[in-house]
Amino acid sequence: MEDVLVPIVVIPVIFLGLPWLIFHYITQWKKNGSLTVEDERALDDLHEMARRMDDRLATLERILNAEDPTWRPRQSPDRTHGDDWRRDN
């Protein structure tokens, strides 16, 4: 009896349950694969904040360069981009 019960349970699980589970998650992934309006708004806000922070940093660098041109740490001679740290990354 036990030998007959195992194939009766295992075969439907393999041929019906597993494909259903895979297709279910593929459908969910495709449905939720794009950004929501709130996500896009948050990314726009973060981009604007990053732009403002970059402008502020550039202003601070101009002020510091005007007051003390030697404020930056010395660079090693193998650096090819000079004093601009943003190009080093």
Side-chain angles (χ1 to χ4, degrees):
M1 180 73 179
E2 210 173 286
D3 295 335
V4 176
L5 188 60
V6 171
I8 291 175
V9 172
V10 171
I11 290 175
V13 167
I14 290 174
F15 290 105
L16 296 175
L18 195 58
W20 176 84
L21 187 66
I22 291 169
F23 287 126
H24 170 74
Y25 281 106
I26 288 173
T27 304
Q28 293 297 317
W29 173 66
K30 285 183 179 180
K31 185 168 55 171
N32 296 329
S34 63
L35 293 175
T36 64
V37 174
E38 294 85 20
D39 292 339
E40 289 180 9
R41 192 174 303 126
L43 284 174
D44 288 340
D45 292 344
L46 287 172
H47 182 265
E48 179 63 24
M49 286 173 56
R51 188 194 59 76
R52 287 193 328 237
M53 286 175 60
D54 190 46
D55 291 343
R56 290 176 184 166
L57 182 62
T59 302
L60 285 173
E61 287 177 346
R62 279 197 308 272
I63 292 169
L64 286 170
N65 283 334
E67 290 189 5
D68 182 16
T70 62
W71 70 273
R72 291 181 190 255
R74 295 238 185 246
Q75 299 288 326
S76 62
D78 62 337
R79 298 272 181 157
T80 58
H81 298 300
D83 289 335
D84 193 357
W85 63 270
R86 283 174 271 173
R87 292 185 195 165
D88 292 341
N89 293 332

